[in-house]
Amino acid sequence: MDRKIIDFFRAAFPFALTLFLWRGALGWINPAGLLALVPVFFCTFIRPTPWFVPFGVVMCFLVDYRADTMLFWTSVYCLCYAVYGFQNVVDLTRADNDGIAVFVLFFGGGALVLSLPHFVNFTNVFRLVWTVAWECAMYLPIAWLLKRVAHD
């Protein structure tokens, strides 16, 4: 009986962590709940978790809603999932350093495209650099936590 409860909490942890990171949106630390994209990416591409793809779509939609980006992150996520599903050369489950390089391409590329119309002053460029650097710096601790709870 105790083992079933522990297994339930291990299975529910990625979902709960994603909701917590989205809900914990704070100004410059977690703008619009963008840190929720880390477990969405990790549990979809690096360590595939059952039932996480539909949840990831919903979470990307919620990030878009909070950030007023009109389905941008949802589209990027679905596009990356479709491209990853149609190819058979790259296996992200074996990526080095928990796939941080691929996450940098995913998030950095998306943030760059999203910020292109706003390169009018230094403040916006600095905000883009800070957001990408912070998101990528927080990737490894969150990935470590997800792996530690799952005992991978």
Side-chain angles (χ1 to χ4, degrees), residues 34-43 103 135 138-139 142-143 146:
L34 283 175
L35 282 177
L37 293 175
V38 172
V40 166
F41 180 85
F42 187 80
C43 293
F103 180 74
E135 187 87 14
M138 293 307 295
Y139 179 81
I142 293 171
L146 287 166

Side-chain angles (χ1 to χ4, degrees), residues 1-139:
M1 179 68 173
D2 292 335
R3 186 73 186 156
K4 288 183 180 181
I5 294 171
I6 291 171
D7 289 342
F8 171 76
F9 282 122
R10 279 190 185 149
F13 182 75
F15 300 95
L17 178 65
T18 306
L19 284 171
F20 175 77
L21 289 172
W22 173 75
R23 187 75 177 121
L26 299 170
W28 58 277
I29 294 176
N30 187 11
L34 283 175
L35 282 177
L37 293 175
V38 172
V40 166
F41 180 85
F42 187 80
C43 293
T44 300
F45 299 109
I46 306 302
R47 298 277 191 267
T49 303
W51 293 99
F52 211 86
V53 173
F55 181 74
V57 171
V58 170
M59 289 310 300
C60 287
F61 175 77
L62 291 175
V63 168
D64 284 330
Y65 175 74
R66 185 167 275 172
D68 290 331
T69 52
M70 296 186 59
L71 299 177
F72 178 77
W73 288 110
T74 307
S75 302
V76 170
Y77 175 72
C78 290
L79 178 69
C80 289
Y81 186 75
V83 167
Y84 183 66
F86 282 123
Q87 60 85 31
N88 59 0
V89 177
V90 178
D91 184 15
L92 293 181
T93 59
R94 297 182 196 182
D96 294 335
N97 296 323
D98 296 323
I100 183 125
V102 183
F103 180 74
V104 169
L105 289 174
F106 169 76
F107 185 77
L112 181 65
V113 168
L114 193 59
S115 298
L116 281 177
H118 306 287
F119 274 124
V120 288
N121 60 18
F122 182 71
T123 306
N124 290 338
V125 173
F126 179 71
R127 187 176 296 129
L128 168 69
V129 170
W130 165 254
T131 304
V132 171
W134 179 251
E135 187 87 14
C136 295
M138 293 307 295
Y139 179 81

